[in-house]
Amino acid sequence: MSFFWIYDLPNWLLGMLMVLVFTGLAAAGLVASRPHVRRVFGPPPGHNDLVSYYLGAFGVFYGLTIGLIAVASWQNLADLDSLVNREAAALRVLDREVSWYPEPARSRLHRLLVVYVDYVIEQEWPAQARGELPEGGSPLLADFGQALTAFEPATAGQQALHAETLQALSRYVELRRERLFSVGTGLPEVVWWVLVFGAALNILLTYLFAVERLSVHLLLTLALAAFVAMLVFLIAAMDHPFRGDFSVGPDAFRALRQQMPT
């Protein structure tokens, strides 16, 4: 489902809207279906035992499904957060390796890294938050690589340092590619259809209960609808790790930038 506009909303508003939509539709459906259900199932107690059995069975399967999806979404978010931290750490190692180069190569390489980090924080991350695949960082990183490979070691120590720096650059490029490949990460559309139809089915089953007082029936239905809405909201908030309030941010790069004097 391409409802990416929801990530432009603050989490509190998104959660409230989801609860209101789920409970509003559940309440309207209950009021509209109650007379028809009474005609088919009869007055209380109707077939409450049978309905309760089916609702319990569906609830268990749906609960397991939505729980596993929530855990998978959280794990994906945590993995990408760890990846970003490792990427920033690899870039810090690269900057420290550069600090051992002789002048003027040291100042030039460091300056290129500072420009690249500023781009990642100020332009690349906002692009990721929009679901776009940023491309401007690759030329900046290529400029750094060209300046690095143009350096000619004059001593055995410089040769060893240069080899370590090239390895550090390769390691960083690998981590960067992993992050960029994860920009569009999210649950497949079929999973969202299962979540939505599963939620609807569980709420619809509550309509089949024969309850004398409408207020009691409405309260029980709304409680279930609100709980399901909160679980769906939790998954939606974590679904795209670089989007929305609850997302992976450039904090690791900001901390790195503070350690890189201009």
Side-chain angles (χ1 to χ4, degrees), residues 5-90:
W5 57 268
I6 66 175
Y7 297 107
D8 297 329
L9 304 175
N11 271 346
W12 67 268
L13 180 57
L14 176 59
M16 183 180 297
L17 285 176
M18 283 195 172
V19 171
L20 289 176
V21 169
F22 273 67
T23 54
L25 292 176
L30 175 63
V31 173
S33 64
R34 187 174 167 89
H36 304 288
V37 171
R38 284 212 167 192
R39 279 200 304 269
V40 176
F41 284 74
H47 298 280
N48 286 350
D49 291 342
L50 183 61
V51 174
S52 178
Y53 171 80
Y54 274 94
L55 181 61
F58 279 114
V60 168
F61 285 115
Y62 184 73
L64 288 175
T65 301
I66 201 170
L68 290 174
I69 293 173
V71 170
S73 298
W74 168 256
Q75 187 61 54
N76 184 50
L77 182 70
D79 290 344
L80 285 179
D81 185 60
S82 176
L83 172 63
V84 170
N85 289 332
R86 286 186 283 117
E87 182 186 354

Side-chain angles (χ1 to χ4, degrees), residues 229-246:
M230 287 187 290
L231 291 177
V232 173
F233 158 71
L234 178 64
I235 294 175
M238 298 186 299
D239 184 26
H240 292 274
F242 291 110
R243 290 187 163 200
D245 288 347
F246 192 48

Side-chain angles (χ1 to χ4, degrees), residues 19-215:
V19 171
L20 289 176
V21 169
F22 273 67
T23 54
L25 292 176
L30 175 63
V31 173
S33 64
R34 187 174 167 89
H36 304 288
V37 171
R38 284 212 167 192
R39 279 200 304 269
V40 176
F41 284 74
H47 298 280
N48 286 350
D49 291 342
L50 183 61
V51 174
S52 178
Y53 171 80
Y54 274 94
L55 181 61
F58 279 114
V60 168
F61 285 115
Y62 184 73
L64 288 175
T65 301
I66 201 170
L68 290 174
I69 293 173
V71 170
S73 298
W74 168 256
Q75 187 61 54
N76 184 50
L77 182 70
D79 290 344
L80 285 179
D81 185 60
S82 176
L83 172 63
V84 170
N85 289 332
R86 286 186 283 117
E87 182 186 354
L91 195 58
R92 177 56 177 164
V93 169
L94 185 59
D95 185 56
R96 289 183 64 87
E97 295 283 352
V98 165
S99 67
W100 293 99
Y101 276 62
E103 291 290 1
R106 176 173 58 200
S107 296
R108 183 187 179 194
L109 292 171
H110 176 74
R111 185 170 60 254
L112 289 172
L113 283 181
V114 168
V115 171
Y116 170 75
V117 173
D118 287 340
Y119 172 83
V120 170
I121 296 173
E122 298 171 5
Q123 299 186 46
E124 195 163 82
W125 230 267
Q128 290 179 165
R130 296 190 297 269
E132 301 172 1
L133 190 62
E135 299 179 355
S138 297
L140 296 177
L141 203 57
D143 291 341
F144 174 82
Q146 290 176 358
L148 181 62
T149 54
F151 176 76
E152 294 290 342
T155 65
Q158 289 182 358
Q159 289 179 354
L161 173 63
H162 193 57
E164 288 289 337
T165 308
L166 289 173
Q167 290 181 0
L169 176 60
S170 297
R171 174 58 176 162
Y172 175 75
V173 170
E174 178 184 352
L175 292 172
R176 170 183 165 79
R177 286 175 179 170
E178 288 186 38
R179 169 171 59 86
L180 294 180
F181 290 158
S182 301
V183 169
T185 298
L187 292 175
E189 186 172 333
V190 64
V191 175
W192 278 110
W193 283 116
V194 170
L195 287 177
V196 171
F197 279 111
L201 181 60
N202 277 272
I203 294 173
L204 286 174
L205 283 174
T206 64
Y207 296 175
L208 305 181
F209 279 108
V211 182
E212 185 65 35
R213 297 180 58 184
L214 174 61
S215 59

